[in-house]
């Protein structure tokens, strides 16, 4: 069996994992209705409540496709693969609309994803399209292929998990980072910057600074991520730079002394960096 044949035979469970995870978040997520109002879908459907209902139905469809991909043999699941490919095409079209019509909005592609539409969202949609096409080309059920090629199957699963982590929304990446720190230990453990000042105190200090007043017009999200590096505490926000057709999603980073708080410092030194969310290139701060 060639690597290409193996890949298409295993596409069904890997794609099912992607659709099942996203579908469960949309259908059963407790906080799904609230972020739905911040998605481009709310603008398309003219209402956050309509967008929330649409995301629930989409989650149910994704779970249905997940079950079909896991349970049906290739001769039958070709329809599920075609439906998944069509879903991927729909995702790409919707993301294109979101970037053009509402560049500061999130897409609602995954539960808890409230950052602006970026490259990762497009890659996830393209992966769904490619996975659906692969399923339609499968010749053998995945449950007969996997036991005959256990090492290759394990490798494919590891690659898929690594890809899922790389393409995960910022909040999910934060969970991964916290797990990594718990397993490997904090790189600044034992230094003054680790525990003396809570993150909320750093955020409070930032929000009373002149740097925040200058750059806050760009910010479109709550705090998405934070970490300490070399005595600095980095705070990450999602934002939008420019207006009209030139608007583009950006990542806004603030760096403050990790040991500073309002009790100790009234006018903190704050470094501000604005990066293009797609390319990672620095953007001149004009706001």
């Amino acid at each position: 069996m060639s690597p290409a044949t193996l890949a298409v035979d295993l596409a069904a469970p890997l794609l099912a994992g992607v659709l099942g995870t996203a579908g469960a978040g949309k259908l059963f997520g407790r906080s799904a209705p609230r972020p739905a109002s911040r998605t481009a879908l709310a603008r398309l459907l003219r209402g956050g409540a309509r967008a929330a209902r649409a995301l629930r139905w989409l989650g149910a469809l994704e779970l249905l496709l997940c079950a079909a991909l896991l349970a049906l043999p290739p001769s039958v699941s070709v329809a599920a693969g075609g439906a998944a490919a069509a879903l991927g095409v729909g995702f790409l079209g919707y993301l294109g609309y979101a970037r053009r019509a509402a560049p500061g909005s999130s897409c609602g592609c995954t539960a808890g994803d409230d950052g602006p539409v970026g490259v990762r969202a497009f890659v996830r949609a393209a992966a769904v399209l490619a996975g659906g096409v692969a399923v339609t080309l499968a010749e053998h059920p995945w449950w007969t292929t996997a036991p005959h090629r256990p090492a290759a199957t394990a490798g494919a699963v590891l690659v898929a998990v690594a890809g899922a982590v790389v393409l995960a929304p910022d909040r999910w990446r934060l969970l991964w980072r916290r797990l990594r720190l718990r397993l490997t230990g904090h790189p600044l453990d034992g230094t003054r910057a680790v525990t003396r000042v809570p993150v909320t105190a750093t955020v409070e200090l930032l929000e009373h600074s002149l740097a925040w007043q200058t750059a806050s017009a760009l910010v479109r999200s709550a705090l998405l991520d934070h970490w300490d590096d070399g005595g600095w505490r980095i705070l990450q926000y999602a934002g939008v730079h420019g207006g009209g057709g030139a608007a583009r999603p950006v990542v806004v980073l603030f760096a403050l002394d990790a040991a500073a708080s309002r009790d100790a410092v009234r006018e903190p030194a704050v470094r501000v960096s604005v990066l293009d969310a797609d390319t990672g290139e620095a953007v001149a701060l004009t706001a």
Side-chain angles (χ1 to χ4, degrees):
M1 180 179 291
S2 68
T5 301
L6 177 68
V8 296
D9 284 352
L10 296 178
L14 298 179
L15 179 59
V18 174
L19 295 177
T21 303
K26 294 188 185 79
L27 186 58
F28 302 116
R30 294 181 179 179
S31 61
R34 181 170 51 84
S37 62
R38 299 197 293 267
T39 66
L41 191 61
R43 175 168 178 166
L44 181 64
L45 300 180
R46 299 181 179 180
R50 292 178 179 175
R53 287 195 295 272
L55 289 175
R56 297 285 192 195
W57 280 105
L58 178 59
L61 174 60
E62 289 174 324
L63 288 178
L64 181 62
L65 288 176
C66 170
L69 291 169
L70 290 176
L72 300 179
S75 58
V76 183
S77 65
V78 63
L87 195 62
V89 173
F91 286 159
L92 289 171
Y94 165 64
L95 292 173
Y97 161 81
R99 286 294 297 268
R100 181 178 57 83
S105 302
S106 67
C107 64
C109 307
T110 57
D113 184 4
D114 58 1
V117 176
V119 173
R120 289 202 299 267
F122 279 95
V123 175
R124 286 197 299 267
V128 173
L129 169 59
V133 172
V135 170
T136 64
L137 301 176
E139 298 178 355
H140 311 94
W142 65 269
W143 56 82
T144 61
T145 298
H148 287 88
R149 301 292 297 275
T153 300
V157 172
L158 289 176
V159 170
V161 171
V165 172
V166 172
L167 298 177
D170 289 331
R171 289 189 178 185
W172 294 9
R173 293 160 66 86
L174 177 59
L175 295 176
W176 167 256
R177 178 170 294 160
R178 287 173 175 170
L179 175 61
R180 187 187 64 185
L181 291 177
R182 179 168 297 180
L183 295 176
T184 63
H186 198 289
L188 298 179
D189 193 20
T191 70
R192 68 189 180 99
V194 177
T195 59
R196 289 184 179 178
V197 178
V199 173
T200 52
T202 306
V203 172
E204 182 183 14
L205 184 64
L206 169 66
E207 293 180 348
H208 286 81
S209 69
L210 180 60
W212 174 262
Q213 295 174 20
T214 303
S216 61
L218 301 176
V219 176
R220 296 290 188 277
S221 75
L223 179 64
L224 296 178
D225 199 357
H226 62 84
W227 63 93
D228 293 350
D229 186 11
W232 291 90
R233 176 160 291 163
I234 314 300
L235 306 176
Q236 177 182 336
Y237 297 80
V240 175
H241 184 271
R248 52 178 169 169
V250 294
V251 176
V252 186
L253 299 174
F254 298 93
L256 296 82
D257 185 344
S261 68
R262 291 196 70 192
D263 294 333
V265 179
R266 290 298 177 188
E267 297 182 1
V270 182
R271 296 179 180 176
V272 184
S273 298
V274 181
L275 306 177
D276 189 292
D278 294 337
T279 65
E281 297 179 350
V283 176
L285 181 60
T286 56

